[in-house]
Amino acid sequence: MINKISEHRMHRFRWILAIGWLILIFSSFYDPISLWLTHPDNLASPFRVNANACISIQGECLPQVAYVLAPRIFWGIIVPLSIIILVLGGHETWRRICPLSFFSQIPRRLGIGRKVQKISPTSGIARSELVGVKPDSWLGRNYLYLQLFLFYLGLNIRILFANGNGAGFGIFLSLTIVASIVVGYLFKGKSWCQYFCPMAPVQIFFTGTRGVMGSDAHLGAPGKITQSMCRTIDPQGNEKSACVGCQSACLDIDAQRNYWDTSNQPDRQLLFYGYFGLMIGFFVYLYLYAGSLDYYYSGIWSHDIHQVTSLFSPGFYIAGKAIPIPKIVAAPLTLAVCMALSYYISRLLEKAYRYYLILRGENLRKSEIRHRCYSVCVFISFNIFFEFVLRANLQLCSEWIKFIFNGIMIVISTVWLFRSLTRDRHR
């Protein structure tokens, strides 16, 4: 279990990941190695583009030119790997290694942060305290809606600016890092992770009650440092809690308690029932924009030279005809419609399942019924995601490697689903 690995080791590992991420961002602006690997004349490279191939986008062949590999590595390898980590190791694993979490903690490690003067009611002495997010504030009550909006915004930025444009990709990740550091300065604790991070909804969705190999905080000894709970090392070299109580029930302390305490809230329902639509909407839009799935399956989306210049070009190409809705409008519209359809259809299916259980004489709590529906949503989303997301990179592999990989993904998701469905709030 990763919660048993010392903070000293994890801190060094986070440094390595953070440096690797910065190198990847730098390579998105300048990377002669990628340009050499992907050049059409480099016949020895598996990444070279085929200058004679015709990948049709809205009825025209997109020019095949050498490109930087950073966007393809990030979107096609790192993002899928993070989803596998969430399903296998759970939320606690990702939070302890997440580079963005690492960057957001830089102000704390430097001993700086926004402070306010507070007067003690007993002694009357004024003292400076770091600012935290109040649970009864707008942000404290609506943070998941904000994170879902930021995730939706991020998907649109990816489609319009950062999917296949090296500079756009680098700027997007750079601004995200800066935002995490700024939030880390403005608020104490893991406020970036808890209240702002656009990846947090993804973490909540794919973790569910716990990962396949995640730990159970409620079975441990009282008072111990659990899961991805904030921790630090004292001058004597001992590991101790650094929790400032920025959220309760905290996902980093006890993911299952957080899951069950919030499972009936409207924002969680929107997340679990709407996420599938956002994911499908992303792939659907790329099909509706290009006119075929070859655009995605070929991997040319990672080096589309017209990505930014086509913002005000027709955003849909259906049945051989371009629809005069600008791409900058068509992409957000498609994602929003797919999310809305997924949300309302899933709610209807939940009601139908509840009625079915009543007919069978099963009296389950609302939270347990919803938990089963949530788990099925995650299972379906996971398998459809991996049916699409690695297709471009797996084209470089032999058929038996593709078969083994697909089998592993099905086994992982099936084990996760079985473990999830056998859990309830009481257990």
Side-chain angles (χ1 to χ4, degrees):
M1 303 300 178
I2 198 169
N3 66 309
K4 296 180 181 179
I5 300 177
S6 70
E7 178 63 12
H8 183 68
R9 290 183 178 179
M10 292 306 301
H11 184 63
R12 286 190 295 180
F13 187 64
R14 285 193 295 269
W15 260 111
I16 294 172
L17 290 181
I19 292 172
W21 207 5
L22 292 176
I23 292 174
L24 187 69
I25 292 174
F26 177 79
S27 70
S28 68
F29 297 104
Y30 177 73
D31 184 6
I33 297 176
S34 285
L35 296 179
W36 173 72
L37 286 173
T38 59
H39 196 278
D41 294 336
N42 189 352
L43 302 180
S45 173
F47 301 103
R48 70 181 180 90
V49 296
N50 185 355
N52 298 320
C54 177
I55 306 301
S56 176
I57 297 180
Q58 299 196 357
E60 298 182 2
C61 296
L62 189 70
Q64 296 271 17
V65 296
Y67 62 97
V68 295
L69 285 167
R72 183 165 183 167
I73 292 172
F74 185 81
W75 302 123
I77 298 177
I78 295 177
V79 170
L81 182 60
S82 68
I83 302 301
I84 295 174
I85 291 173
L86 286 170
V87 173
L88 276 178
H91 168 271
E92 62 191 275
T93 302
W94 181 251
R95 278 285 177 92
R96 290 202 70 192
I97 66 175
C98 177
L100 271 181
S101 177
F102 171 83
F103 287 121
S104 72
Q105 294 301 302
I106 289 178
R108 178 180 69 84
R109 294 188 178 278
L110 294 177
I112 60 176
R114 185 168 62 108
K115 297 181 180 180
V116 294
Q117 293 288 330
K118 287 192 175 182
I119 300 176
S120 172
T122 55
S123 64
I125 300 175
R127 61 180 182 179
S128 297
E129 289 186 2
L130 292 171
V131 177
V133 177
K134 296 180 180 180
D136 58 346
S137 64
W138 181 91
L139 181 58
R141 290 180 283 107
N142 298 284
Y143 66 91
L144 189 54
Y145 291 119
L146 174 63
Q147 290 174 320
L148 277 169
F149 172 75
L150 292 176
F151 179 64
Y152 166 79
L153 182 64
L155 285 178
N156 282 290
I157 291 174
R158 178 183 170 182
I159 291 174
L160 299 172
F161 302 99
N163 213 28
N165 183 279
F169 167 79
I171 293 172
F172 174 58
L173 286 193
S174 298
L175 291 177
T176 305
I177 291 174
V178 171
S180 69
I181 295 174
V182 170
V183 170
Y185 170 81
L186 295 176
F187 300 100
K188 65 182 180 179
K190 279 190 176 180
S191 293
W192 166 260
C193 304
Q194 304 285 21
Y195 297 104
F196 294 94
C197 180
M199 271 295 291
V202 182
Q203 296 170 25
I204 295 171
F205 181 83
F206 281 108
T207 297
T209 55
R210 55 162 283 179
V212 173
M213 296 183 292
S215 63
D216 290 315
H218 63 284
L219 298 180
K224 74 171 186 175
I225 302 176
T226 60
Q227 296 187 337
S228 51
M229 185 176 179
C230 294
R231 59 197 78 191
T232 188
I233 301 173
D234 62 21
Q236 289 74 38
N238 299 316
E239 192 170 303
K240 65 177 184 178
S241 170
C243 180
V244 296
C246 62
Q247 191 177 84
S248 181
C250 179
L251 191 63
D252 288 309
I253 297 175
D254 190 342
Q256 287 207 61
R257 180 188 169 195
N258 175 272
Y259 177 88
W260 290 109
D261 284 359
T262 60
S263 61
N264 287 327
Q265 294 179 2
D267 54 1
R268 302 293 166 134
Q269 191 177 23
L270 177 62
L271 166 59
F272 279 94
Y273 290 160
Y275 181 88
F276 176 79
L278 276 177
M279 180 195 69
I280 289 296
F282 176 83
F283 299 117
V284 166
Y285 177 71
L286 294 182
Y287 169 77
L288 294 177
Y289 165 67
S292 73
L293 283 174
D294 290 342
Y295 177 69
Y296 188 80
Y297 286 162
S298 66
I300 203 171
W301 53 267
S302 67
H303 49 284
D304 183 351
I305 63 174
H306 299 314
Q307 181 177 26
V308 177
T309 58
S310 63
L311 292 177
F312 296 95
S313 300
F316 295 118
Y317 189 76
I318 303 173
K321 295 182 180 180
I323 310 298
I325 299 177
K327 182 181 176 183
I328 199 169
V329 174
L333 180 64
T334 302
L335 293 182
V337 169
C338 287
M339 182 180 184
L341 287 174
S342 173
Y343 174 70
Y344 287 109
I345 291 174
S346 297
R347 287 189 61 182
L348 289 174
L349 291 175
E350 180 193 312
K351 291 180 180 179
Y353 179 58
R354 184 181 293 115
Y355 181 69
Y356 167 75
L357 292 176
I358 292 173
L359 293 179
R360 292 190 57 183
E362 296 186 37
N363 186 23
L364 295 179
R365 295 186 182 93
K366 182 179 179 180
S367 61
E368 294 176 8
I369 295 174
R370 190 158 288 173
H371 164 62
R372 293 183 180 182
C373 295
Y374 288 172
S375 299
V376 172
C377 282
V378 175
F379 175 79
I380 295 174
S381 298
F382 180 87
N383 285 286
I384 291 181
F385 176 79
F386 279 100
E387 175 63 26
F388 283 95
V389 74
L390 290 179
R391 182 69 70 93
N393 289 324
L394 287 178
Q395 298 290 352
L396 305 175
C397 304
S398 60
E399 289 298 323
W400 67 270
I401 292 179
K402 297 178 188 178
F403 178 79
I404 292 175
F405 180 83
N406 290 331
I408 291 174
M409 293 301 101
I410 293 174
V411 169
I412 290 175
S413 60
T414 302
V415 172
W416 180 91
L417 179 65
F418 175 78
R419 290 174 66 91
S420 183
L421 290 179
T422 55
R423 290 177 178 269
D424 55 43
R425 188 182 186 111
H426 175 73
R427 181 171 299 173

